[in-house]
Structures are given as C-alpha cells and as structure tokens.
Amino acid sequence: MNRFSIEFELAPGVQVLTRKVLADDRGSFQRLFDLDDLTTLGWDRPVAQVNQTITRERGTVRGLHFQHPPFDEWKLVTCLQGEILDLIVDIRRSSVNFLSVYQVKLDGNSPRSLLIPPGFAHGFQTLSANVVLNYCHSQPYVPNAEGGLNVQDPRLAISWPLPITQLSDRDRQFPMLTSDFNGVDR
C-alpha cells in the first residue's frame, strides 16, 4: 500500500507529497517515512538521520542549506505544528533552472510533505509561532561538506512574506552569490 501520493511537482524532481491518513473514532495514523514507497519516487538511500526543529518566533528564517557531493542528500520535510513557507533553490550546475527559487506552504494541519532530491538548497520562514518540523535525511550531517546561500542575496530576489525577525549568525554570514558560483553536480 502506497502511503504517499504526488500532489504536484514543485520543481523538476521535487515532489509535494500527500500522506495517506487512516482515521477512525480513536483518531488518525500517518506514516511520515516509508523507504519502499519513497524509493519509487527516487529516494535511493537509507535514512541516515531524522531531525526535528522547533522555531518559536513567527518570521524566523532558517537556511538556505545544502551539502556538497558526495555528501549531498535527499530530504523529506514535514511540518508537524504551525505553518511555514518552505523554499528551495536549484543549485544543480547542469540544470536549465539553475538558481531558480521555488516555494510551497506546509502546515501541521495538512498531510503534506516536501521530497527534495540532491542539488537543492533548502530553507524556510515560519508563518506562525511554535513551528515544529521533522526532517528525514539520506546522509549524515558533515560540517566540512556544508554549504549555504544567503537568504538576502539580491540575485535570488526572494520575497519573504513576513519581515525576517530572526536569522542565525551562520545563515547571515553565508556569502552573496558571485559570477564564479558553479553550484553542485555529482
């Protein structure tokens, strides 16, 4: 039984999924990750890490993060509580959509997840307070392989729906893009 259906393709290879909800008089059940089901959608590795973030303040931005090959990763992002604007940037050097920005809303009241393949930087802005996100990663975090794009880079021209209330020093210090940024490819 497939527990995920493709709601729509956000970007080439990036799927917005709807989880199947089983409900009865006791409540409901949703599978947040299923390797067999997600393998049919391209996920080609076991889960290496499952992480959770709790973001307290509305307007906070986290991202835009990625890992360089060979540590690039699949991510399955699920909002368990609150609401976010989830954002990805295509950083695949060979892509015709190189540096294109895509966004989708995720919230804890809908059975929606975002499946992101390698080659995309990822971040989000909280649209409510007390947001809880769950991330499944196909690779462990490798500090020396980490990369990031500056969320305020004019070349990306991201129009955040809210003023940015919080941004970590690490995210603030990611460099602006220059003409020699070549993205990533395997």
Side-chain angles (χ1 to χ4, degrees):
M1 169 189 283
N2 197 331
R3 302 287 181 158
F4 301 92
S5 60
I6 299 171
E7 188 174 332
F8 60 92
E9 185 172 73
L10 182 62
V14 179
Q15 310 295 329
V16 176
L17 306 178
T18 301
R19 299 180 306 279
K20 184 172 185 168
V21 178
L22 303 176
D24 60 23
D25 58 344
R26 299 169 296 165
S28 65
F29 170 85
Q30 297 177 49
R31 184 161 295 157
L32 297 180
F33 186 91
D34 187 297
L35 184 58
D36 290 337
D37 287 351
L38 293 175
T39 297
T40 65
L41 300 175
W43 188 291
D44 60 355
R45 308 164 195 176
V47 172
Q49 286 182 196
V50 177
N51 298 315
Q52 176 179 290
T53 61
I54 298 172
T55 308
R56 289 180 173 59
E57 190 174 323
R58 181 176 182 257
T60 298
V61 171
R62 292 183 186 247
L64 297 156
H65 307 139
F66 64 93
Q67 290 199 136
H68 291 278
F71 303 103
D72 50 345
E73 61 188 341
W74 281 87
K75 286 184 188 177
L76 182 66
V77 181
T78 302
C79 185
L80 301 174
Q81 178 180 302
E83 183 180 20
I84 65 166
L85 179 70
D86 207 317
L87 194 133
I88 59 170
V89 178
D90 189 337
I91 57 170
R92 298 170 297 173
R93 174 181 325 126
S94 59
S95 173
V96 297
N97 300 304
F98 183 61
L99 296 181
S100 292
V101 177
Y102 303 90
Q103 57 190 24
V104 64
K105 286 186 180 179
L106 299 178
D107 67 76
N109 294 320
S110 71
R112 182 185 263 186
S113 294
L114 183 61
L115 181 62
I116 308 168
F120 289 85
H122 173 256
F124 66 90
Q125 182 176 47
T126 56
L127 302 178
S128 65
N130 300 312
V131 169
V132 179
L133 288 188
N134 175 280
Y135 300 85
C136 295
H137 298 262
S138 66
Q139 293 279 15
Y141 173 68
V142 178
N144 292 338
E146 179 183 57
L149 305 178
N150 193 300
V151 300
Q152 297 174 318
D153 193 312
R155 189 166 169 197
L156 296 175
I158 298 169
S159 178
W160 297 103
L162 300 172
I164 297 175
T165 57
Q166 288 192 357
L167 183 65
S168 73
D169 287 340
R170 178 186 75 163
D171 291 351
R172 186 182 331 278
Q173 292 172 11
F174 284 131
M176 298 295 176
L177 293 169
T178 62
S179 60
D180 63 342
F181 178 73
N182 289 323
V184 298
D185 271 333
R186 298 196 109 206

